[in-house]
């Protein structure tokens, strides 16, 4: 089995799909690994480290893909890459299929079997393969670091000979994987932390991390979690009550970090222009949902916007990529854990069990067809 690891072509993507540790493991499965030269450069992994781990280095994507049965990527292959991948080969990546049905069709037509890591079911067996969690956790950490860097004051309370500096107040909106890590990070950095979410289960989680929970805890709140563990889209009435509660609270915060998402829907609007304007000059908002429409009014993807009153709205994109080395290393392990389940160790070849629930949930294209139930043409 020959595995190709490509250099990501999207300029906003510094991560890489394999690191020397996982290259060694793939070789341990009896495969040959070919890494495109420079694939790890932006994630702090020079070609020499891949070579030392046993990989061959290829001068181009074409050379890396020649004869490859399995292609490892961070992002979906583009048209140029699809043209170079051999028919019948398998690609495992973050495929981002929603809204990209044409690209999915192109992958099918190229005869490439694709698997979307982000569709991995969130069940115990697949935790080790959960790229949403591994990357969101880092994004939550980095959001606090980015917020702190833009904030012109220190975070912890300091008692100095020149006087006492108060602790910064940080408010986390949305307490999923990213939000929980943001709370933990902000606490470690000495801030006074509050957090909100619409799922009741988060109250205890927030409090167990030493932060204070702020939320409208009405009947709708008690029902706000889906059986899958995600948030429902809240009613206009709830959103109004939430906005009333949050309004006074936000005005007193130094840093606000928003992470709220609803599967398949645009990100909920949680912070209005009026709320931003109510914050003190020098305060910072970090919107981790900016790529999905944003939680904060005025947030712009890829920009740090300073509004009239001197409040900054940070809208970095691909936040896990801002920790490219750590993010790559965790992503590469997630990928290996999944690929390992699809390899016949005796035959040293891919032997996909098409009935496996992990395979069914993530397989998008197979044998020239788009096979995933969520992407079938509407009758
Ligand atoms: P997510 O990225 O979909 O959303 C982030 C958070 O935003 C969620 O906590 C959500 O409740 C919150 N939110 C949505 N609308 C909101 C609003 N109007 N106001 C305030 N907050 C709002 O979430 P996630 O990080 O993917 O986590 C989703 C769930 O999956 C959680 O229950 C988590 O514990 C669970 N999970 C399970 C596993 C597993 O393997 N079993 C792994 C990871 C996560």
């Amino acid at each position: 089995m020959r595995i190709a690891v490509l250099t990501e072509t999207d300029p906003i993507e510094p991560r890489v799909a394999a690191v020397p540790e996982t290259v060694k493991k793939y070789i341990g499965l009896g495969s040959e690994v070919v890494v495109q030269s420079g694939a790890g450069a932006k994630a702090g992994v020079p070609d020499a480290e891949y070579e030392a781990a046993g990989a061959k280095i290829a001068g181009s994507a074409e050379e890396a893909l020649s004869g490859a049965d399995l292609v490892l990527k961070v992002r979906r292959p583009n048209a140029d890459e699809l043209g170079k991948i051999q028919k019948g080969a398998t690609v495992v990546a973050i495929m981002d299929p929603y809204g990209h049905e044409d690209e999915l069709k192109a992958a099918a037509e190229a005869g490439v079997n694709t698997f979307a890591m982000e569709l991995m079911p969130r069940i115990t067996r697949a935790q080790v393969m959960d790229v949403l969690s591994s990357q969101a956790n880092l994004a939550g950490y980095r959001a606090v670091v980015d917020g702190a860097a833009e904030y012109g004051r220190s975070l912890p309370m300091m008692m100095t000979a020149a006087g006492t500096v108060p602790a910064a107040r940080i408010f986390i909106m949305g307490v999923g994987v990213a939000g929980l890590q943001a709370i933990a990070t902000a606490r470690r950095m000495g801030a006074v932390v509050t957090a909100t979410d619409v799922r009741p289960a988060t109250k205890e989680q927030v409090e167990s991390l030493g932060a204070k929970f702020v939320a409208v805890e009405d009947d709708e709140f008690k029902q706000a979690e889906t059986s899958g563990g995600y948030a429902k889209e809240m009613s206009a009435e709830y959103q109004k009550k939430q906005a009333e509660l949050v309004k006074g609270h936000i005005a007193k915060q130094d840093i606000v970090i928003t992470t709220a998402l609803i599967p398949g829907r645009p990100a909920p609007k949680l912070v209005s222009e009026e709320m931003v304007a109510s914050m003190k000059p020098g305060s910072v908002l970090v919107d981790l949902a900016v790529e999905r429409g944003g939680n904060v009014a005025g947030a712009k993807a890829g920009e740090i916007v300073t509004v009239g009153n001197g409040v900054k709205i940070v809208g970095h994109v691909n936040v896990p990529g801002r920790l490219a080395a750590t993010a790559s290393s965790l992503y590469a392990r997630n990928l290996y854990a999944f690929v390992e389940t699809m390899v016949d160790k005796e035959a040293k070849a891919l032997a996909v069990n098409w009935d496996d629930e992990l395979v069914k949930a993530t397989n998008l294209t197979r044998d020239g067809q788009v096979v995933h139930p969520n992407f079938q043409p509407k009758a």
Side-chain angles (χ1 to χ4, degrees), residues 65-240:
L65 289 169
S66 159
D69 311 290
L70 174 64
V71 181
L72 304 181
K73 285 216 60 192
V74 179
R75 290 183 185 242
R76 158 169 30 87
N78 61 23
D80 181 53
E81 289 166 320
L82 277 181
K84 293 172 182 155
I85 299 173
Q86 69 174 15
K87 216 172 163 199
T90 296
V91 174
V92 189
I94 299 172
M95 292 291 293
D96 190 19
Y98 290 98
H100 298 109
E101 286 75 7
D102 288 347
E103 287 87 339
L104 215 55
K105 218 166 133 229
E109 280 163 8
V112 175
N113 299 335
T114 55
F115 290 86
M117 286 302 287
E118 74 271 38
L119 300 184
M120 195 62 72
R122 284 180 140 173
I123 55 172
T124 308
R125 181 183 154 220
Q127 267 181 7
V128 60
M129 309 164 199
D130 184 350
V131 299
L132 293 181
S133 290
S134 74
Q135 306 300 297
N137 178 49
L138 294 175
Y141 160 79
R142 183 68 198 216
V144 178
V145 172
D146 284 336
E150 292 301 328
Y151 182 54
R153 299 165 189 265
S154 52
L155 297 196
M157 185 182 86
M158 287 192 234
M159 290 160 117
T160 79
T164 300
V165 177
R169 290 172 186 278
I170 300 189
F171 181 39
I172 316 288
M173 304 184 76
V175 189
V177 178
L180 282 173
Q181 183 54 257
I183 295 172
T185 303
R187 290 269 301 149
R188 283 196 289 265
M189 289 168 86
V192 174
V193 184
T194 50
T196 190
D197 201 296
V198 291
R199 290 183 299 112
T202 58
K203 181 176 183 170
E204 200 186 317
Q205 295 165 354
V206 167
E207 287 168 354
S208 75
L209 288 169
K212 191 166 170 266
F213 191 64
V214 178
V216 176
E217 298 181 45
D218 63 3
D219 286 342
E220 189 177 347
F221 170 85
K222 291 182 189 127
Q223 320 281 329
E225 182 160 325
T226 65
S227 55
Y230 289 97
K232 289 184 188 156
E233 189 165 32
M234 305 304 274
S235 68
E237 195 194 334
Y238 184 92
Q239 287 182 37
K240 201 163 154 238

Side-chain angles (χ1 to χ4, degrees), residues 16 46 53 70 99 144 161 187 227 232 241 269 287 330 363 379:
V16 61
L70 174 64
V144 178
R187 290 269 301 149
S227 55
K232 289 184 188 156
K241 283 197 258 176
K269 293 278 172 244
D287 190 345
L330 296 183
N363 184 209

